[in-house]
């Protein structure tokens, strides 16, 4: 697979990512605007999904419906299999079935910060992405929540061994560093 070239629109600096080799990247952006521009470039890839700090949910439907909507629409999961697969992913993330079932009935506004991220992460995984972008995923979490959030990379790896994980971070943010094969700064 050909490498993907990302460019900082402000400075013109760039970096290459090798896709389809099971690598994880941490890219530190100088500004929020640069992080957004890099996100747009990454989402231009055919099978890219994003897991971000806000979860990207629709407020008028519950968590299960939010998680399932893209996968069902794009034919990646049947309605019948959706809840079962979502429960399995949440279990891989370390959540018990009762806690997950309670969370799936909530509306997005009722979710705690880590639950919002988990919702977006599971929604993305249901799409079976070749590229999963963790966009400013750790910001605003406690140290303990950050440790749990960083561990989600292993869940992605187990489900998409050849997939590429990209952690878009703001430079100089006091966060728990995700384990990555390559660290880049733009």
């Amino acid at each position: 697979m050909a490498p993907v070239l990302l460019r900082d629109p402000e400075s013109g600096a760039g970096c290459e990512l090798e896709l389809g080799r099971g690598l994880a990247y941490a890219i530190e952006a100088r500004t929020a605007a640069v992080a957004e521009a890099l996100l747009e470039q990454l989402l231009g890839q055919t099978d890219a999904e994003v897991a971000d700090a806000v979860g990207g949910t629709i407020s008028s439907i519950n968590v299960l419906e939010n998680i399932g909507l893209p996968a069902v629409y794009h034919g990646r999961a049947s309605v019948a299999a959706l809840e079962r697969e979502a429960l399995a992913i949440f279990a891989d993330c370390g959540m018990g079935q009762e806690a997950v079932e309670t969370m799936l009935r909530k509306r997005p506004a009722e979710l705690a910060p880590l639950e919002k991220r988990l919702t977006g992460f599971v929604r993305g995984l249901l799409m079976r992405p070749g590229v999963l972008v963790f966009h400013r995923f750790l910001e605003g979490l406690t140290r303990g929540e950050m440790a749990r959030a960083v561990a989600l990379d292993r869940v992605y790896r187990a489900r998409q061994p050849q997939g590429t994980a990209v952690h878009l971070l703001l430079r100089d943010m006091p966060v728990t560093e995700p384990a990555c094969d390559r660290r880049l700064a733009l």
Side-chain angles (χ1 to χ4, degrees):
M1 191 173 274
V4 171
L5 178 63
L6 299 179
R7 286 245 176 256
D8 174 340
E10 295 174 3
S11 72
C15 64
E16 282 188 359
L17 306 182
E18 296 178 66
L19 304 183
R21 295 193 50 226
L23 298 175
Y25 294 88
I27 301 175
E28 293 184 0
R30 291 179 298 107
T31 66
V34 170
E36 292 297 323
L38 295 172
L39 174 63
E40 290 303 315
Q41 292 170 48
L42 286 162
L43 291 179
Q45 300 306 304
T46 305
D47 61 348
E49 292 293 325
V50 64
D52 62 19
V54 295
T57 54
I58 299 169
S59 63
S60 61
I61 60 177
N62 70 30
V63 170
L64 179 59
E65 293 164 336
N66 268 289
I67 288 170
L69 188 60
V72 170
Y73 178 79
H74 292 288
R76 302 281 173 102
S78 68
V79 174
L82 179 70
E83 187 170 3
R84 184 177 60 251
E85 190 171 356
L87 286 169
I89 295 171
F90 278 114
D92 291 348
C93 295
M95 291 186 71
Q97 185 169 347
E98 188 176 314
V100 173
E101 288 174 354
T102 299
M103 191 176 102
L104 291 177
R105 290 189 299 271
K106 291 181 180 179
R107 301 262 186 212
E110 301 172 291
L111 298 176
L114 184 58
E115 290 175 328
K116 287 179 184 179
R117 286 154 179 84
L118 283 168
T119 297
F121 175 75
V122 172
R123 183 186 61 240
L125 273 188
L126 287 171
M127 294 295 291
R128 296 172 184 82
V131 178
L132 182 61
V133 183
F134 293 90
H135 178 247
R136 299 176 63 182
F137 199 69
L138 304 176
E139 291 178 29
L141 297 178
T142 66
R143 290 270 180 214
E145 290 169 334
M146 283 184 205
R148 285 187 63 201
V150 164
L152 297 178
D153 189 66
R154 286 191 300 274
V155 175
Y156 173 61
R157 259 316 119 248
R159 290 182 170 270
Q160 294 291 115
Q162 297 303 308
T164 303
V166 180
H167 300 268
L168 280 178
L169 312 162
L170 286 183
R171 193 175 297 166
D172 301 325
M173 288 296 293
V175 297
T176 301
E177 292 290 328
C180 292
D181 300 298
R182 298 192 180 129
R183 295 188 182 286
L184 309 163
L186 289 180

